[in-house]
DNA sequence: CTGTTAGCGCGTTCAA
DNA sequence: TTGAACGCGCTAACAG
């Protein structure tokens, strides 16, 4: 009944006048231990309020049953949806999850990875920050034999495991539906020019146009730095055109929110004078009076889940397998009209 | 250069033909080691790519520099805002954060706490689930000497450390502003009757009414189970009244979203026929065409931050201090009119 | 089936 | 200023 320090194997061994290893084996249901002694040991263990000292076990087994998750932000809906699923998968397998947020700061990101390494996590899930240019952490973890799976925002390398969304499919669908509604002046409000995510969107946009036989007009692509001001500037630029677009695909729902607000303020009618589709499928559209025509869903939860499952495969693998690439096709959802 | 296993203290000792303990001390800048040897040791350590084995250190020091965070859900904006701040505080102090989500399942919640205990976390931050009726985990952690700080959704006990929001202040402000706008028929859409959060809201609502000299009408309080259907039923009930309310305080923004949608569908004009204020301050109101009049902010980030700081004080404390209770006054924000 | 011994990597006495 | 020895709690190799 002494609540002070939890009992150790040694103590319960002494109490039963048997050896510590027998106790250890009994507690772990080792086949070579007699049923009776196993029972006796377990009984006394319970009485003495025994709890295995995991830190000792981690130390001995060289395994921590812990995975690290590194994300740009924990409060962003996309990532919190992902991490929620990741926690689920880990929980099922009796792993714990350590998390860190880089806040798009490459130094902080690296520091977190360092910490995870010294904590001897068994694996890492990661989505890199916007400002991460090179990836020293890859060989850092590689050298320590810690498998890593990237998702969503991933380094552009073929040598790594990654789960990403294919932004093209959704974009093609979006343009298709715009065209089938009679729109020909279709614009793209893209993110920062250099961002891989922007480049991919632009490529998909161009492909979508050409598939529908719509000529590309340079002035129909504008960029935003993703700040509210940038978003507003971007839409203003489009609206100022002599033949302003009647349909717009925007970088993501956050951009769309700003943009649509500006449009309203300028006295234009949403879903009438001008129509929107954007990436991300913010879950609240359904409550709005004039939501975008549709959203391009990227399935953050599913991505996180898949990435986690992949990671656990790697952790359990004996041989290091070839790098895996899993692609989630983005899809148009929430069509309102 | 062997990338296989990281070097150990022993190895670098052998390489330098000195004792492991000297190496250990040198690495930790022990004052009693000569400057030269310290330098030599550090140099060789770097060469051999030495990394301290944290699991060994945790084991020996009986300290893991890890805190656990247990929340109902990781994907809910309120909690992800909190956890983001918690991670920040922990990161500053070189602690890592393990997290688990209970999904309002009391069993899962308990299991997570068990896990945290066996992982020997140095402290726990927790917001309990809606279905948690009793708190076996409190003495569980108590017995293990693990300090715990509750926040937001906390057990109703005086013996625990907790950070909570005072729901009353915001409610009083809300009713005040409603009244000053000429509303007398002020209604409350509350959550489940038994939920402490509901009870508190009701109490505040009654107090607010009486402060303004408005008689309480039983039929002006309705309850929802917080599902979309429940929310819709609640508002329908109010709208069906012969003298329906012109102002409504709702349990939270999610309820308000459903409710306002229903109101729109019934052809009533938001912010004209009927006005809303709700708890939680969902960050997207500013984008909506007809947002609620105001929101009652509960400061999730600040709560999380404060709770984390409190926890670290407890972790560092030598003596176990008296239970602390910190209250964040809720406040009306985002007034549109 | 069970006990003995050894050691994981580190910090920390105690002696020199 | 340094080294030798020990032990944290547990598991595993090797006896018996």
């Amino acid at each position: 009944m002494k609540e002070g320090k939890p009992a150790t194997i040694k103590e319960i061994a002494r109490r039963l006048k048997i050896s510590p290893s027998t106790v250890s084996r009994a507690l772990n249901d080792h086949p070579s231990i007699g049923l009776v002694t196993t029972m006796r040991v377990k009984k006394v263990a319970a009485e003495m309020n025994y709890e295995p000292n995991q830190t000792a076990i981690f130390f001995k087994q060289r395994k921590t049953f812990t995975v690290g998750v590194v994300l740009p932000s924990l409060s962003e809906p996309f990532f919190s949806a992902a991490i929620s699923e990741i926690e689920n998968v880990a929980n099922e397998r009796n792993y714990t999850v350590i998390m860190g947020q880089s806040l798009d700061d490459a130094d902080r990101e690296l520091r977190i990875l360092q910490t995870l390494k010294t904590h001897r996590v068994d694996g890492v899930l990661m989505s890199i920050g916007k400002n991460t240019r090179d990836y020293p952490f890859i060989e850092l973890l590689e050298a320590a034999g810690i498998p890593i799976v990237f998702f969503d925002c991933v380094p552009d390398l073929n040598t790594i495991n990654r789960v990403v969304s294919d932004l093209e499919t959704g974009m093609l669908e979006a343009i298709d539906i715009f065209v089938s509604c009679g729109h020909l002046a279709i614009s793209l409000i893209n993110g920062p020019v250099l961002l891989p995510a922007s480049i991919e969107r632009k490529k998909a946009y161009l492909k979508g146009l050409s598939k529908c036989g719509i000529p590309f007009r340079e002035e129909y692509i504008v960029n935003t730095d993703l700040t509210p001001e940038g978003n507003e500037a971007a839409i203003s630029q489009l609206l100022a055109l002599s033949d302003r677009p009647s349909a717009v695909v925007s970088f993501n729902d956050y951009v769309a929110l700003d943009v649509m607000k500006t449009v309203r303020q300028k006295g234009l009618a949403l879903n009438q004078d001008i129509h929107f589709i954007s990436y991300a499928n913010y879950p609240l559209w359904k409550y709005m009076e004039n939501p975008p025509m549709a959203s391009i869903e990227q399935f953050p939860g599913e991505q996180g889940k898949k990435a986690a499952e992949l990671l656990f495969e790697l952790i359990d693998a004996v041989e290091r397998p070839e790098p895996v690439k899993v692609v989630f096709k983005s899809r148009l959802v929430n069509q309102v009209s």
Side-chain angles (χ1 to χ4, degrees), chain A:
Chain A
M1 274 300 167
K2 53 175 176 182
E3 299 272 18
K5 300 296 160 210
T8 74
I9 278 191
K10 221 183 266 177
E11 291 169 336
I12 107 159
R14 190 157 3 102
R15 181 100 118 66
L16 264 65
K17 299 190 205 305
I18 59 180
S19 100
S21 42
T22 305
V23 175
S24 169
R25 287 185 276 233
L27 257 17
N28 293 323
D29 292 310
H30 192 98
S32 76
I33 296 293
L35 186 59
V36 275
T37 34
T38 301
M39 300 270 282
R40 286 202 324 142
V41 167
K42 288 199 173 177
K43 181 155 170 291
V44 174
E47 276 174 24
M48 298 182 69
N49 227 302
Y50 169 77
E51 299 236 15
N53 183 338
Q54 283 291 5
T55 64
I57 295 173
F58 293 160
F59 171 44
K60 177 117 239 261
Q61 315 275 268
R62 287 127 184 289
K63 183 133 172 48
T64 56
F65 291 97
T66 300
V67 295
V69 179
V70 185
L71 301 172
S73 161
L74 296 172
S75 54
E76 189 162 326
F78 184 94
F79 291 121
S80 60
I83 205 171
S84 179
E85 286 300 322
I86 290 170
E87 196 270 349
N88 270 332
V89 176
N91 189 52
E92 273 172 23
R93 314 207 176 204
N94 281 98
Y95 272 71
T96 61
V97 178
I98 290 184
M99 17 129 287
Q101 57 187 344
S102 66
L103 301 177
D104 288 320
D105 172 347
D107 292 336
R108 178 164 174 167
E109 192 172 58
L110 185 54
R111 259 186 8 249
I112 293 172
L113 269 304
Q114 294 270 27
T115 308
L116 292 182
K117 182 184 174 187
T118 61
H119 272 249
R120 295 287 209 269
V121 296
D122 295 333
V124 168
L125 286 168
M126 177 170 187
S127 194
I128 65 176
K130 285 191 182 46
N131 306 311
T132 304
R133 293 283 161 271
D134 38 26
Y135 321 112
F137 42 82
I138 292 185
E139 53 186 47
L140 193 79
L141 297 186
E142 180 82 28
I146 300 174
I148 177 166
V149 175
F150 294 90
F151 75 99
D152 187 50
C153 209
V154 311
D156 187 21
L157 298 170
N158 288 320
T159 53
I160 56 172
N161 303 291
R162 57 209 191 285
V163 175
V164 293
S165 59
D166 174 2
L167 302 178
E168 186 181 289
T169 46
M171 177 71 86
L172 298 185
E173 283 187 78
I175 292 182
D176 269 352
I177 208 172
F178 272 150
V179 169
S180 72
C181 290
H183 296 284
L184 291 171
I186 302 171
S187 190
L188 171 65
I189 298 183
N190 212 354
V193 184
L194 296 168
L195 204 66
S198 297
I199 296 170
E200 219 186 313
R201 279 168 174 79
K202 179 173 178 180
K203 228 172 96 186
Y205 168 76
L206 294 178
K207 181 164 176 185
L209 288 187
S210 83
K211 267 191 66 175
C212 294
I214 300 177
F216 165 56
R217 299 178 46 174
E218 187 71 59
E219 67 272 27
Y220 272 8
I221 295 190
V222 293
N223 295 90
T224 165
D225 56 5
L226 304 178
T227 63
E229 299 74 31
N231 299 335
E232 192 177 331
I235 184 67
S236 298
Q237 205 177 323
L238 287 179
L239 295 182
L241 292 175
S242 57
D243 42 0
R244 64 156 196 256
S246 62
V248 177
V249 179
S250 67
F251 185 79
N252 65 29
D253 283 346
Y254 300 101
V255 172
L257 283 167
D258 281 322
V259 161
M260 291 168 72
K261 187 182 178 191
T262 304
V263 164
R264 276 205 313 274
Q265 287 169 346
K266 299 213 178 198
L268 294 178
L270 287 171
N271 292 324
Q272 209 164 316
D273 296 331
I274 189 162
H275 302 252
F276 290 94
I277 291 181
S278 60
Y279 280 91
N281 187 31
Y282 198 88
L284 292 196
W285 288 133
K286 64 171 176 291
Y287 296 106
M288 298 192 63
E289 292 181 53
N290 287 296
M293 243 175 81
S295 245
I296 303 173
E297 171 66 89
Q298 294 183 74
F299 308 103
E302 286 79 351
Q303 277 193 52
K305 184 176 178 195
K306 182 66 191 174
E309 287 167 349
L310 203 54
L311 180 62
F312 286 115
E313 278 177 32
L314 292 175
I315 289 175
D316 295 336
V318 272
E319 288 294 317
R320 170 146 316 205
E322 287 297 294
V324 180
K325 178 177 186 179
V326 177
V327 177
F328 277 80
K329 291 194 187 306
S330 60
R331 245 185 36 215
L332 212 62
V333 294
N334 266 0
Q335 273 112 321
V336 173
S337 60

